[in-house]
Amino acid sequence: MALVSLRNVTKAYPNPNGGDPVLAINDVSLDIEAGDVYGIIGYSGAGKSTLVRLINALEPVTDGSVVVNGQELAGLGEKQLRPVRLGIGMIFQQFNLFNAKTVWNNVAYPLRVAGASKEKIQARVDELLEFVGLADKAKNFPEQLSGGQKQRVGIARALATAPSILLCDEATSALDPETTQEVLALLKRVNSEFGVTMVVITHEMEVIQSIATKVAVMDQGRIVESGDVFEVFSNPQNGSSQTFVGTVVKGVPSPAERAVLRERHEGRIVTLSFRDGDASQASVFLKLAQAGVEFELIYGGINDIQGKAFGHLTLALRASDAVIDGVLADIAQATSVTEVA
Ligand SMILES: Nc1ncnc2c1ncn2[C@@H]1O[C@H](COP(=O)(O)OP(=O)(O)OP(=O)(O)O)[C@@H](O)[C@H]1O
């Protein structure tokens, strides 16, 4: 059974301008399995943060069902929700640390609230600060830390009560690219070493590319596409997904780029799309060479997602039309071929 399961969930807010309610979440169904790193991507206003607030029971659904750790959240009172929330950690874009508390006391805070013993708190906080690499900063205050260090404290604090789920809401959006990679590497370890299931809300496709195993693309309160990250990245079906994927994958040249390529290169211009398991690049290049086609790679690249390769390579081909037609027909048996200019 899924660790988090949403069925036909709707969340409506009163419209501040009057009129119809705002449907922040519109008929969303989603299953997050134990061990997943589930990315939720979408533009500002798509409903990502609202989805998180429904999963950690900060707000009730308007309609539908949210089941977390086998428990239906709809209809639970504050007292019954408390243990559910203890099983869910959360980290935020702005870290949300207590500035008047030391790093050590920030991490200890949830354990104190949960009524843990002094010994248990001591052992757990020390262990977590070691895990996030900040044992030497235990007595510092948040303002004495860099953004990346603050987020590592946030991660240690979120893990204090040993939650089975960690919700990450734009957790790296305030960090520079290098620090982002460090924090993402730490989150990967949280998943692999502690077995924590993660829900990663972001508008940055790079984050999904680095750590997610599955992804859902949200647009106007709906999930418009979801699945295995490799599948969605290598063959996005929805327009919104295609735009997101296009920010990290140099794929098929746009009409404007094609015009530039046309001007710069002689011959017929084709885009070959490769996905793990399709024909290898080597076999395609060999076929072109054996047919006597002169070819030049002029656009594109190969990407690696979860150890699987895919990409789009645009080539300029020079030979007689009959020769090119023959070899393209052969190549098209095993991989997708599009003549673009
Ligand atoms: N409390 C509220 N009252 C009214 N409308 C709300 C409320 N919270 C969110 N909304 C609306 O719901 C929609 C989804 O908002 P949400 O914050 O979930 O989007 P998001 O994808 O997280 O955006 P961002 O990336 O900017 O945080 C927006 O149209 C927003 O204006």
Side-chain angles (χ1 to χ4, degrees):
M1 194 178 59
L3 195 60
V4 177
S5 184
L6 281 74
R7 281 289 164 279
N8 306 108
V9 169
T10 296
K11 178 69 185 178
Y13 290 111
N15 191 328
N17 308 316
D20 291 340
V22 179
L23 274 183
I25 300 290
N26 188 358
D27 194 21
V28 161
S29 295
L30 178 70
D31 282 324
I32 299 174
E33 307 290 337
D36 278 349
V37 178
Y38 212 117
I40 312 275
I41 193 144
Y43 293 112
S44 182
K48 308 181 297 293
S49 299
T50 305
L51 193 75
V52 167
R53 290 198 299 274
L54 299 179
I55 294 174
N56 67 5
L58 282 179
E59 292 190 41
V61 299
T62 305
D63 204 2
S65 149
V66 179
V67 175
V68 176
N69 269 324
Q71 187 154 28
E72 171 64 60
L73 303 189
L76 293 188
E78 274 303 305
K79 203 171 164 198
Q80 295 155 306
L81 283 173
R82 220 168 288 150
V84 178
R85 291 201 189 113
L86 276 182
I88 304 177
M90 180 134 185
I91 56 173
F92 309 86
Q93 180 171 3
Q94 295 305 332
F95 323 121
N96 294 14
L97 300 179
F98 303 110
N99 289 325
K101 290 185 196 291
T102 61
V103 164
W104 201 94
N105 281 320
N106 263 280
V107 181
Y109 180 80
L111 292 163
R112 292 209 172 102
V113 171
S117 70
K118 224 171 165 188
E119 296 70 36
K120 177 159 182 216
I121 294 175
Q122 183 74 48
R124 182 76 178 144
V125 175
D126 289 349
E127 177 198 10
L128 285 168
L129 287 181
E130 196 66 47
F131 176 75
V132 301
L134 290 177
D136 59 333
K137 303 281 184 204
K139 295 196 169 99
N140 286 56
F141 286 89
E143 65 183 19
Q144 298 166 317
L145 303 179
S146 69
Q149 290 169 335
K150 284 182 195 165
Q151 195 55 292
R152 284 194 265 156
V153 177
I155 292 168
R157 184 181 60 179
L159 295 177
T161 54
S164 54
I165 303 166
L166 180 63
L167 303 177
C168 312
D169 193 357
E170 300 283 3
T172 54
S173 300
L175 305 175
D176 63 54
E178 204 174 312
T179 314
T180 292
Q181 287 309 322
E182 282 170 24
V183 169
L184 293 178
L186 179 60
L187 289 174
K188 255 189 187 173
R189 286 182 53 216
V190 169
N191 174 252
S192 62
E193 291 178 30
F194 291 159
V196 174
T197 303
M198 300 207 286
V199 183
V200 179
I201 305 287
T202 185
H203 65 274
E204 299 174 301
M205 212 57 183
E206 293 87 351
V207 172
I208 306 293
Q209 186 178 18
S210 311
I211 63 168
T213 51
K214 296 195 186 131
V215 63
V217 182
M218 288 195 74
D219 194 5
Q220 297 183 31
R222 290 180 182 276
I223 290 181
V224 292
E225 186 160 353
S226 64
D228 183 86
V229 169
F230 181 79
E231 293 302 322
V232 174
F233 266 63
S234 61
N235 192 17
Q237 301 295 314
N238 175 273
S240 191
S241 317
Q242 285 163 357
T243 308
F244 271 114
V245 170
T247 61
V248 285
V249 171
K250 198 169 182 196
V252 179
S254 68
E257 287 167 327
R258 284 182 212 174
V260 173
L261 293 174
R262 176 74 287 159
E263 222 167 81
R264 286 195 194 146
H265 301 278
E266 285 177 22
R268 284 165 65 176
I269 296 180
V270 299
T271 297
L272 307 178
S273 299
F274 294 93
R275 271 164 48 106
D276 231 42
D278 290 353
S280 73
Q281 290 171 61
S283 72
V284 168
F285 293 149
L286 186 63
K287 280 182 178 155
L288 289 168
Q290 283 173 339
V293 177
E294 196 185 311
F295 62 91
E296 191 184 354
L297 175 59
I298 57 174
Y299 188 93
I302 298 294
N303 308 272
D304 186 288
I305 305 278
Q306 313 288 321
K308 289 199 258 180
F310 76 95
H312 311 275
L313 300 179
T314 297
L315 307 175
L317 307 179
R318 287 183 288 277
S320 71
D321 276 341
V323 168
I324 291 176
D325 286 342
V327 72
L328 287 185
D330 184 17
I331 291 169
Q333 307 270 330
T335 196
S336 142
V337 178
T338 318
E339 188 137 6
V340 294

